[in-house]
Amino acid sequence: MIFQPAILALLLSSLLCIGLLLAAAPYAIDLIRHWDLASGSERQLLRERRTYLLSTLLAFVFATQLVALALFVFNADRMASLFVGAMCAVGTLQANAFGFPALLAQILVFFLAAVWLVINHVDTQAPDYPLLRIKYVLLLCLLPFLLAAGVLQWRFFLALRADVITSCCGSLFSDATPGVTAELAAAPPLPTLLAFYLSLALATGCALLHRRGPRAGHLVALLSAVAFAVTMAAVLAFISLYVYEHPHHHCPFCILKPDYSYQGYALYVPLFVGTAAGLGVGAVQAFARVPSLQSIIPGVAGRLAGLAAAMFIAVAVVALLIIINSRLLLIDN
Amino acid sequence: MNVWIEKQKYLIDFTLASLARRKAKNLGLLLVYSLIVFLLASVMLFTHALRQAANELLAGAPEIVLQRMVAGRHDLIPPGYLERIARLRGVLEKQGRLWGYYYDPVVKANYTFMVADDRLLAPGTLVVGAGLARTRGVAPGNLISFRAYSGKLFTFSIADILPAKSELVSADLVLLGEADFRAFFDIPPGHYTDITLRVANPLEVRNIASKLAQQFPDSRPILREEILRTYDSIFSWREGIVLALATLALLAFAILAWEKASGLSADERREIGILKAIGWDTGDVLRMKFWEGAMLSLSAFLLGYLAAYLHVFHFSASLLAPVLKGWAVLYPRFELSPVIDGLQVTTLFFFTVFPYAAATLVPIWRAAISDPDAVMRG
Amino acid sequence: MIELRQIHKTFNAGRENEFHALTGIDLQLPAECVTALRGPSGSGKTTLLSIIGCLARPTSGRVRLLERDISGLPERFLTEVRRRTFGFVFQQFNLISGLSASENVMLPAYPLGGDRQALQARAEQLLAGLRLAHRRTTRVELLSGGEQQRVAIARALINEPPVIIADEPTANLDTALAMEFMAIIEELAGTGRTVLLSSHDPLLVESSLVKRVVDMRDGRIVHPAVPAGAGR
């Protein structure tokens, strides 16, 4: 294991988040089993007040995951100098088998927590808290994911040894190495470009449609998830190339670096926010038929859809700007 | 959205007023909080600056250094080696270096004697590092004498003093001409201390190193990136150790924060009770407390970081240097160039704000759920 | 306006110090009427006031407010109802010291997040109406008892509630100030507000201001009062 401040911070935070959620689990179970709004007993009052604690806790975990995600990538990039052959975050994450799974788990936890907070928000708008049980069952379901992310991260850092020869992004995303990532990078720029804009346009269009009138909520979520995946593929296949102005540098992390004037943030922040909002639209659709939520969900979902649409448009514009401003030409006339 | 923003503004207003009303208590907490940030930030800024300084200095170093080993110990390179390297492809430039250590009984210190490769020094003249100049009290133009290991006394005149900027590695440096060096240390012509190689393509460095190892089984190639990596991990490791120790301080701080947050004064309790009675929701109180924590954290963070910045870059980290610098390559008295690093700030944020937030979460909630009718029951 | 059915409130249920503060209260409070709850201390007046005012929830029983059943509402929504419906004047005026009179008055409106200038204007208007215009920037702990209570009244009115609830409002006032308070309440009742008082001060309870008296003892209503004038 490499003893480093950022690693300590990440492990500390994931440990604390897991600890807090574990400590909250008995309360969640109690809420699921004994919640009875009709009762005016002191126990019920206390349960009601605990819901505040649990929501706050989840918001805290969510915020922590958000910062931790950035720190994780940031730190992986910085540690690349410790590994022979690693030149950026990809190299560090490739240093052992747990790097990329840990990153993916963390992204997953981020989206799940976001969806939970959306459901929680909707639920607290209705005076009968109709989703309370479902919400806390979901909270308990979130726990294994958080645990898995924590364990993967722990294993990743524990197994890190300086001087391990790893492949840098150059070889990971070069056409020679087989595997998913290589295939993505090898995807031809023009079709990927078309797929990228098509998926964004579909997600945006669907979200805007949903904003007008409550329909196709699940489709918004689905298209948002697709847009997220396609955008990541597009980053690997061509957006990063335009940023680096280099036809073989496919790394999705280096674009976050100051050397490339932090263009990655302009791309990733709206992408993550938009995807989270889009997923939220889909998540609340499941409860649109609940009587007390019928008047609430369209409003919330509409706002989320609007946010998602705005964010996807931002992603498209940022990508376009990157391509226009680049001196690299990938697609000939 | 507008209503939401207005509401937060009201809450912030109220929070500021309520912080101001309990100056003594909040100042105490702010002070401890800032101190923690200051401590951690000093450690991080300092090690980062050291790492940066080492990186910059090594940036100009040759990619490969070849040393000959005899019985596992570093020995002189015999004549002929340099010519044989010429046949290796990819080597841009090669050079035999001459350097050695000299113990000066006058000030009981070790100097590094080296043949200058970038400047021509007239016979009988020296260029010395700023640290050496200080301890021996010499200035350009002065004469300085050293008794060689052979017993002969050599007198040189000081031609120049190296700039203080590079003092991290040049404090003890003595530069002299090749002939003077060979005479002083009795090294026959054709022999060198080691050989440096410059390689055009960084991807080729490892290949060339393995070829060198094959061709000269009695020698070892040392790569610049390896040195860099070693520096990096040593500095990070030290930083990590200090931070791990600091975790204890953090724990104490978290307990203090918990204490402060849960040990609300009767006055504060009553205030929250009043707010709830006149129409504030539990959520409003939580948000108010959130702003309180955020403002406190932010001020403590800024204060502590600023103080640490001044401490490290203007006062040369006088409080920390003995702990973090204590290893042979480093020498006292050098100006670190200020570096602020995003990763570092984020990490520091995690180390300080995160424990504070986690520690105050439950106590704040406890305070916020007080019964709204409590004030009526007196 | 407000209808209570079989209200029970038990503290520390199931424990040794179990205490039944209210047992089976049935009560109707008509709109635009000044009602007083009268009874010795410990009779449950304050508990009943806090249940009516949505400060606390009954252990069992139904509360209807403007034809809406609010008994099963979670605290979050009760707070919302309370903010829109009730203004409170407490026995210990419960002002927040260190803040000015007008800041205290504005406090209940903060969570609503309305326009600041309008809010400030409203607070100043209320304070001026209670002859406190010259004291609006004074910190409340520097005000006299009577002034403090007038600030508390202004605070109760800031969200323009239709119902004013006052718990033992004259307990900490001398006769002159009590008379002044009653004059203010009279004026408020004149503007169509419903007022609910709890008191055992004869000066207040037996005055012409109070249209209806409800007597309480040991958590029950004694000789149920006949609604004065208007029926349901």
Side-chain angles (χ1 to χ4, degrees):
Chain A
M1 160 143 177
I2 294 174
F3 217 28
Q4 264 201 354
I7 293 179
L8 283 181
L10 282 170
L11 290 179
L12 183 83
S13 69
S14 101
L15 209 68
L16 249 168
C17 279
I18 291 172
L20 283 173
L21 266 201
L22 274 180
Y27 296 125
I29 293 170
D30 175 63
L31 277 165
I32 294 165
R33 289 181 55 191
H34 300 295
W35 178 259
D36 175 17
L37 201 51
S39 158
S41 73
E42 284 163 19
R43 290 192 157 277
Q44 169 62 18
L45 286 180
L46 185 61
R47 269 178 217 123
E48 207 182 301
R49 287 168 184 178
R50 280 195 187 128
T51 61
Y52 282 99
L53 180 63
L54 294 178
S55 322
T56 313
L57 206 69
L58 241 270
F60 177 75
V61 168
F62 172 74
T64 310
Q65 285 299 318
L66 185 64
V67 184
L69 190 62
L71 189 63
F72 186 75
V73 173
F74 224 8
N75 181 53
D77 180 54
R78 191 60 56 83
M79 288 206 311
S81 70
L82 294 179
F83 306 103
V84 175
M87 282 159 77
C88 68
V90 174
T92 309
L93 294 177
Q94 284 280 298
N96 65 50
F98 300 104
F100 273 105
L103 177 66
L104 292 177
Q106 205 143 23
I107 292 177
L108 191 67
V109 169
F110 168 80
F111 282 129
L112 289 178
V115 165
W116 192 90
L117 285 175
V118 168
I119 293 176
N120 179 51
H121 175 73
V122 167
D123 182 46
T124 53
Q125 300 294 301
D128 56 347
Y129 288 175
L131 308 180
L132 192 117
R133 286 207 164 77
I134 300 171
K135 197 164 83 177
Y136 288 110
V137 170
L138 288 177
L139 182 76
L140 292 178
C141 294
L142 192 63
L143 196 54
F145 287 100
L146 194 68
L147 265 172
V151 168
L152 282 171
Q153 210 177 71
W154 179 257
R155 298 282 311 258
F156 170 59
F157 288 132
L158 210 61
L160 274 189
R161 307 232 187 284
D163 287 340
V164 175
I165 295 188
T166 67
S167 52
C168 97
C169 52
S171 60
L172 174 66
F173 296 110
S174 73
D175 304 3
T177 354
V180 186
T181 37
E183 274 162 35
L184 286 177
L190 187 60
T192 322
L193 180 85
L194 292 178
F196 168 63
Y197 276 106
L198 188 69
S199 72
L200 280 183
L202 279 177
T204 309
C206 194
L208 285 177
L209 212 67
H210 184 81
R211 204 165 156 253
R212 291 268 177 111
R215 61 206 134 176
H218 294 296
L219 200 59
V220 175
L222 183 70
L223 288 174
S224 299
V226 170
F228 181 77
V230 175
T231 304
M232 290 316 292
V235 169
L236 290 177
F238 69 93
I239 296 177
S240 57
L241 304 186
Y242 281 112
V243 176
Y244 308 131
E245 301 181 341
H246 184 297
H248 296 294
H249 194 182
H250 290 283
C251 179
F253 302 115
C254 292
I255 56 174
L256 293 166
K257 285 189 184 180
D259 318 24
Y260 304 104
S261 45
Y262 301 109
Q263 292 176 57
Y265 289 99
L267 202 64
Y268 287 140
V269 170
L271 180 65
F272 273 75
V273 174
T275 308
L279 291 176
V281 172
V284 294
Q285 282 324 297
F287 313 112
R289 299 258 169 79
V290 176
S292 59
L293 291 177
Q294 267 169 357
S295 60
I296 294 162
I297 283 186
V300 174
R303 277 199 297 280
L304 283 174
L307 180 66
M311 288 297 136
F312 286 136
I313 291 173
V315 171
V317 170
V318 169
L320 190 66
L321 285 177
I322 288 175
I323 294 172
I324 290 174
N325 287 329
S326 178
R327 279 167 298 175
L328 180 78
L329 282 179
L330 275 185
I331 301 155
D332 307 321
N333 305 330
Chain B
M1 201 61 186
N2 244 340
V3 169
W4 188 85
I5 292 172
E6 273 302 316
K7 181 171 161 177
Q8 304 309 314
K9 269 161 69 184
Y10 282 126
L11 290 179
I12 291 171
D13 262 16
F14 180 80
T15 311
L16 280 175
S18 103
L19 280 174
R21 267 178 293 136
R22 279 179 273 275
K23 273 194 208 84
K25 174 194 161 176
N26 290 315
L27 274 181
L29 187 59
L30 183 69
L31 206 70
V32 178
Y33 203 157
S34 308
L35 197 71
I36 292 278
V37 175
F38 166 77
L39 209 75
L40 296 181
S42 293
V43 173
M44 295 175 105
L45 281 172
F46 186 59
T47 44
H48 188 71
L50 283 182
R51 206 176 314 166
Q52 198 78 5
N55 274 357
E56 273 166 25
L57 284 163
L58 284 170
E63 278 85 5
I64 302 176
V65 172
L66 190 73
Q67 292 183 338
R68 179 162 172 255
M69 310 294 287
V70 170
R73 311 234 341 140
H74 179 192
D75 202 32
L76 290 179
I77 302 263
Y81 274 48
L82 217 49
E83 290 69 36
R84 280 165 63 196
I85 293 174
R87 278 172 248 140
L88 276 180
R89 283 177 53 175
V91 177
L92 201 64
E93 202 185 305
K94 59 187 165 50
Q95 196 170 32
R97 279 198 310 191
L98 283 167
W99 57 272
Y101 297 123
Y102 174 78
Y103 179 72
D104 182 2
V106 178
V107 293
K108 298 192 173 65
N110 261 312
Y111 302 149
T112 306
F113 275 56
M114 201 170 180
V115 171
D117 53 356
D118 54 347
R119 60 208 288 177
L120 272 174
L121 287 170
T125 62
L126 290 179
V127 173
V128 297
L132 190 152
R134 205 165 44 239
T135 44
R136 284 287 293 247
V138 290
N142 290 10
L143 290 180
I144 192 168
S145 307
F146 296 112
R147 185 173 295 279
Y149 293 124
S150 58
K152 273 188 281 179
L153 193 71
F154 287 80
T155 303
F156 302 97
S157 78
I158 309 269
D160 197 5
I161 290 173
L162 290 168
K165 210 180 79 192
S166 62
E167 208 179 322
L168 178 59
V169 291
S170 72
D172 67 334
L173 203 59
V174 175
L175 295 177
L176 64 174
E178 186 175 339
D180 280 344
F181 187 93
R182 288 188 190 280
F184 190 77
F185 285 108
D186 257 343
I187 293 178
H191 285 75
Y192 290 99
T193 316
D194 53 23
I195 296 172
T196 63
L197 299 165
R198 294 214 165 260
V199 178
N201 183 353
L203 297 174
E204 284 286 296
V205 171
R206 305 223 125 230
N207 285 338
I208 292 178
S210 59
K211 278 187 205 155
L212 281 173
Q214 261 172 21
Q215 200 173 352
F216 303 99
D218 62 343
S219 305
R220 69 168 176 206
I222 299 169
L223 308 187
R224 184 183 66 192
E225 53 175 295
E226 269 172 355
I227 300 173
L228 273 175
R229 197 160 33 245
T230 313
Y231 267 101
D232 216 28
S233 51
I234 283 178
F235 283 130
S236 300
W237 186 78
R238 275 168 180 279
E239 191 182 3
I241 293 282
V242 172
L243 284 183
L245 290 177
T247 330
L248 290 180
L250 273 182
L251 196 68
F253 169 64
I255 292 170
L256 177 84
W258 169 285
E259 251 265 324
K260 285 266 179 192
S262 52
L264 284 184
S265 61
D267 203 35
E268 267 175 289
R269 252 172 226 295
R270 192 177 144 264
E271 206 172 290
I272 290 175
I274 293 173
L275 291 175
K276 290 200 71 175
I278 61 172
W280 286 39
D281 179 38
T282 306
D284 298 324
V285 179
L286 282 176
R287 267 178 288 259
M288 188 259 284
K289 283 283 172 189
F290 161 79
W291 285 116
E292 188 182 300
M295 275 184 277
L296 197 69
S297 298
L298 202 68
S299 341
F301 195 81
L302 286 178
L303 270 176
Y305 197 80
L306 195 71
Y309 186 90
L310 292 175
H311 169 222
V312 171
F313 297 119
H314 290 269
F315 299 100
S316 307
S318 40
L319 298 176
L320 281 176
V323 191
L324 286 171
K325 278 203 314 199
W327 67 320
V329 182
L330 301 174
Y331 293 84
R333 286 278 297 271
F334 54 91
E335 286 287 306
L336 291 168
S337 45
V339 194
I340 295 183
D341 173 48
L343 175 70
Q344 204 181 51
V345 175
T346 322
T347 309
L348 186 64
F349 190 77
F350 245 103
F351 263 111
T352 50
V353 177
F354 183 76
Y356 176 78
T360 51
L361 205 67
V362 173
I364 284 176
W365 168 76
R366 282 236 177 88
I369 58 161
S370 66
D371 281 317
D373 63 338
V375 288
M376 283 178 89
R377 285 192 256 121
Chain C
M1 170 110 196
I2 300 164
E3 200 180 327
L4 307 181
R5 283 246 176 280
Q6 279 303 307
I7 295 297
H8 288 260
K9 180 73 181 179
T10 309
F11 292 105
N12 305 320
R15 266 174 268 162
E16 257 179 41
N17 54 350
E18 185 175 288
F19 170 62
H20 299 279
L22 295 175
T23 42
I25 300 280
D26 286 301
L27 184 66
Q28 283 180 28
L29 296 170
E32 300 180 25
C33 172
V34 180
T35 308
L37 301 179
R38 176 169 62 185
S41 49
S43 60
K45 297 190 303 281
T46 301
T47 309
L48 186 57
L49 276 190
S50 52
I51 286 176
I52 293 172
C54 299
L55 282 169
R57 271 166 53 175
T59 308
S60 67
R62 314 238 125 237
V63 182
R64 289 174 73 81
L65 173 72
L66 296 167
E67 308 305 311
R68 182 184 175 200
D69 188 349
I70 56 168
S71 356
L73 283 186
E75 211 176 277
R76 188 192 305 264
F77 297 90
L78 273 187
T79 309
E80 244 177 68
V81 170
R82 175 152 45 97
R83 270 201 293 249
R84 271 186 282 114
T85 321
F86 301 101
F88 293 89
V89 180
F90 304 102
Q91 180 181 351
Q92 267 90 21
F93 314 120
N94 281 331
L95 299 175
I96 293 184
S97 44
L99 295 182
S100 73
S102 68
E103 280 170 322
N104 261 288
V105 171
M106 294 190 313
L107 272 183
Y110 280 4
L112 300 173
D115 177 59
R116 179 173 289 265
Q117 274 176 350
L119 177 61
Q120 219 139 21
R122 204 158 73 233
E124 274 166 32
Q125 192 192 339
L126 281 170
L127 284 172
L130 293 164
R131 293 177 291 107
L132 280 170
H134 61 297
R135 296 296 239 172
R136 63 174 195 274
T137 54
T138 313
R139 295 217 310 256
V140 286
E141 66 269 27
L142 303 175
L143 299 176
S144 72
E147 286 173 327
Q148 288 194 9
Q149 189 180 46
R150 297 210 301 275
V151 172
I153 295 172
R155 183 178 68 183
L157 295 171
I158 190 75
N159 285 340
E160 290 165 1
V163 184
I164 301 293
I165 292 181
D167 185 29
E168 303 277 7
T170 56
N172 291 346
L173 303 177
D174 61 26
T175 312
L177 286 175
M179 298 294 283
E180 192 182 306
F181 170 78
M182 281 154 63
I184 294 168
I185 292 298
E186 182 120 51
E187 206 178 306
L188 288 177
T191 59
R193 283 194 170 81
T194 309
V195 179
L196 183 60
L197 308 161
S198 85
S199 181
H200 53 257
D201 180 1
L203 180 72
L204 175 62
V205 180
E206 285 159 23
S207 70
S208 63
L209 165 73
V210 174
K211 301 288 181 290
R212 181 184 178 220
V213 177
V214 177
D215 277 303
M216 291 192 69
R217 182 170 285 276
D218 302 328
R220 291 169 205 280
I221 292 174
V222 280
H223 66 84
V226 184
R232 298 190 181 188

